[in-house]
């Protein structure tokens, strides 16, 4: 009896040893499979493969998303052409979309969201590479990088939607001071179903705007209404018009003289570094003008020593360009509204202010003689630096408020009402 009991006890112990050995062997196999499958211990991605307690759908989403990310990383190492970078973009987009399917209540979602943030940065880089390599070769350079970019963007916009109803033009002050999307949205809310684009160019003068609207673009590419946002600097005929001088010396201008027109062709795309201008031709500037901080970086320039104002004269080539442009737009039944953009009180010192007041009188005189509309907003924000990025340029907040103002301005609404009737 005693012997039989001991034998039974030994059998039980042997079974336990075998069971423990089997469990240990299984654990070793699982650990080995993890090491083999992961390869790189820095990758937490495939841990879900051995997490037996996870929802199978979540595991599948994690594995698929991580696999697409691995594919994107591998393709990015050798990508050189537009098509190859487009494939990288597609892989990153797929990885992000797959991880986004993980339910909000799943414990894995928080980690997956952080991986998406990482992937979004990689996606942005891939998109930039694809964008840089896929600029359409629509025309030789016109001597201005911003003008070249705006021309390509506008032609692509027209190919997508047709000509806009409202075209914003002007210098850098309009480029970042008049947001076409916000203006369009506010007008649509008031039952004016219009489309708006911003074709402003930094350094543009009246001569430049006349060239763009009358020479560079065809009548079929023009809008129904032009909103020209700028100030006295664009009409000072006594200062050097550097932007127009570069246009005159450019290969693009020579091509125009030879009868060539901008347009898409079968020529392969060219490589260019894109700017921050958005799809509607607007450059958003988040900076806020702080007088104390700003002048620690940039010198304060009195108007007497500002080349935009000294010397100053409102007769000559720029006035002639204004008259030529107004006449041309009238011949095409296109209305013109000139918006005298705001300047900061810091900028309008005792030298610049009298000259801008002279320009105000000039605008009123020319608008009556040539029959175009003027909205004068020069002095509305003299002490509200929060709307400016620097002393003479609006920031994105100023552009938003200005867009709301213009969308409710009766002079513009009357023009749109007349266009609806015609």
């Amino acid at each position: 009896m005693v012997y039989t009991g001991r034998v039974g006890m030994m059998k039980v112990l042997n079974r336990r040893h075998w069971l423990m050995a089997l469990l240990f062997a299984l654990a070793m196999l699982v650990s080995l499979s993890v090491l083999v499958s992961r390869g790189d211990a820095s990758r937490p991605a495939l841990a879900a493969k051995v997490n037996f307690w996870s929802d199978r759908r979540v595991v599948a989403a994690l594995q698929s998303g991580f696999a697409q990310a691995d594919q994107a990383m591998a393709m990015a190492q050798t990508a050189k052409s537009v098509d190859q970078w487009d494939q990288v973009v597609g892989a990153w987009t797929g990885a992000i979309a797959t991880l986004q399917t993980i339910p909000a209540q799943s414990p894995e979602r928080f980690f997956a969201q952080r991986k998406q943030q990482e992937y979004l940065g990689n996606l942005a880089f891939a998109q930039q590479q694809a964008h840089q390599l896929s600029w359409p070769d629509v025309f030789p350079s016109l001597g201005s990088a911003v003008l070249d970019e705006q021309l390509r963007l506008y032609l692509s916009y027209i190919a997508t939607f047709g000509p806009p109803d409202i075209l914003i033009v002007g210098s850098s002050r309009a480029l970042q001071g008049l947001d076409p999307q916000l203006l369009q949205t506010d007008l649509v809310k008031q039952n004016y179903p219009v489309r708006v684009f911003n074709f402003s160019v930094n350094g543009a003068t009246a001569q430049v705007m006349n060239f763009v609207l009358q020479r560079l673009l065809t009548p079929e590419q023009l809008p129904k209404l032009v909103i020209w946002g700028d100030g006295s600097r664009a009409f000072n005929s006594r200062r050097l018009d550097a932007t127009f001088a570069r246009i005159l010396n450019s290969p693009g201008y020579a091509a125009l003289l030879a009868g060539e027109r901008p347009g898409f062709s079968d020529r392969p795309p060219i490589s260019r570094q894109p700017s921050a201008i958005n799809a509607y031709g607007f450059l958003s500037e988040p900076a806020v003008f702080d007088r104390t901080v700003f002048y620690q970086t940039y010198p304060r320039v009195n108007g007497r020593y500002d080349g935009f104002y000294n010397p100053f004269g409102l007769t000559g080539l720029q006035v002639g360009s204004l008259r030529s442009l107004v006449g041309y737009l009238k011949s095409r039944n296109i209305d013109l509204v000139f918006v005298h953009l705001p300047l900061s009180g810091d900028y309008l010192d005792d030298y610049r202010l009298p000259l801008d007041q002279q320009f105000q009188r000039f605008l009123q005189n020319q608008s009556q003689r040539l029959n175009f509309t003027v909205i004068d907003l020069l002095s509305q924000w003299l002490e509200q630096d929060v709307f400016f990025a620097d002393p003479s340029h609006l920031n994105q907040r100023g552009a938003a408020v200005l867009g709301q103002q213009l969308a409710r301005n009766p002079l513009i609404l009357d023009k749109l009402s007349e266009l609806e009737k015609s």
Side-chain angles (χ1 to χ4, degrees), residues 2 34 65 88 91 168 172 204 213 240 253 281 283 307 328 350 407:
V2 174
V34 172
V88 176
I168 297 169
S172 58
L213 296 174
L240 173 65
Y253 189 80
L283 181 60
Y328 176 74
D350 58 356

Side-chain angles (χ1 to χ4, degrees), residues 144-147 149-151 153 168-181 197-204 209 227-230 275-285 341 392-396 399 402:
S144 164
V146 175
L147 177 54
E149 183 171 359
Q150 289 286 61
L151 175 61
L153 187 55
I168 297 169
V169 299
S171 65
S172 58
R173 294 180 61 196
L175 181 65
Q176 66 185 63
L178 290 170
D179 189 330
Q181 286 176 278
F197 189 90
N198 190 329
F199 199 137
S200 298
V201 178
N202 55 339
M209 288 296 91
I227 295 180
W228 184 355
D230 224 312
S275 73
I277 295 173
N278 71 12
Y280 297 85
F282 176 67
L283 181 60
S284 180
E285 177 52 66
L341 294 175
S392 61
H393 292 83
L394 297 176
N395 58 23
Q396 60 187 21
L402 183 60

Side-chain angles (χ1 to χ4, degrees), residues 44-67 98-99 101-103 106-109 112:
L46 303 186
K49 284 187 175 180
V50 295
N51 187 352
F52 297 109
W53 306 106
S54 293
D55 185 291
R56 295 295 92 188
R57 292 169 299 179
V58 173
V59 171
L62 289 170
Q63 291 176 335
S64 176
F66 294 144
T98 302
L99 293 184
T101 64
I102 297 175
S106 298
E108 297 89 348
R109 182 180 172 92

Side-chain angles (χ1 to χ4, degrees), residues 232-290:
S232 62
R233 302 190 320 198
F235 292 84
N236 183 5
S237 295
R238 297 188 63 188
R239 75 176 180 92
L240 173 65
D241 193 341
T243 304
F244 191 64
R246 288 194 294 269
I247 291 174
L248 292 178
N249 292 322
S250 70
Y253 189 80
L256 274 178
L257 293 179
E260 186 177 345
R261 303 295 310 181
F264 293 96
S265 66
D266 295 330
R267 290 175 292 190
I270 57 179
S271 177
R272 291 288 187 274
Q273 186 66 36
S275 73
I277 295 173
N278 71 12
Y280 297 85
F282 176 67
L283 181 60
S284 180
E285 177 52 66
V288 177
F289 175 48
D290 183 314

Side-chain angles (χ1 to χ4, degrees), residues 125 372 388:
F125 177 79
F372 64 90
F388 293 88

Side-chain angles (χ1 to χ4, degrees), residues 26-89:
L26 286 173
M28 291 297 294
L29 286 173
V30 169
S31 299
L32 181 61
S33 68
V34 172
L35 291 174
V36 172
S37 63
R38 290 171 68 177
D40 181 1
S42 66
R43 291 179 182 270
L46 303 186
K49 284 187 175 180
V50 295
N51 187 352
F52 297 109
W53 306 106
S54 293
D55 185 291
R56 295 295 92 188
R57 292 169 299 179
V58 173
V59 171
L62 289 170
Q63 291 176 335
S64 176
F66 294 144
Q68 292 176 82
D70 288 341
Q71 182 186 24
M73 291 179 66
M75 291 190 298
Q77 300 302 315
T78 58
K80 294 181 180 179
S81 68
V82 176
D83 291 339
Q84 290 171 336
W85 279 112
D86 283 345
Q87 291 174 2
V88 176
V89 169

Side-chain angles (χ1 to χ4, degrees), residues 336-412:
L336 172 65
V337 175
F338 188 92
V339 179
H340 194 186
L341 294 175
L343 287 169
S344 71
D346 184 75
Y347 190 75
L348 289 174
D349 58 18
D350 58 356
Y351 187 87
R352 295 189 185 95
L353 180 58
L355 297 179
D356 272 284
Q357 291 172 335
Q358 179 184 339
F359 179 67
Q360 288 178 308
R361 295 189 293 271
F362 165 85
L363 271 180
Q364 294 300 326
N365 179 268
Q366 294 297 319
S367 67
Q368 293 172 6
R369 294 179 58 185
L370 303 176
N371 192 25
F372 64 90
T373 301
V374 172
I375 299 175
D376 195 336
L377 305 177
L378 172 69
S379 304
Q380 73 168 1
W381 290 335
L382 293 180
E383 301 303 325
Q384 299 188 56
D385 292 348
V386 68
F387 294 136
F388 293 88
D390 60 46
S392 61
H393 292 83
L394 297 176
N395 58 23
Q396 60 187 21
R397 181 177 178 182
V401 176
L402 183 60
Q404 294 173 349
Q405 286 183 333
L406 295 180
R408 291 163 175 74
N409 191 289
L411 296 176
I412 289 180

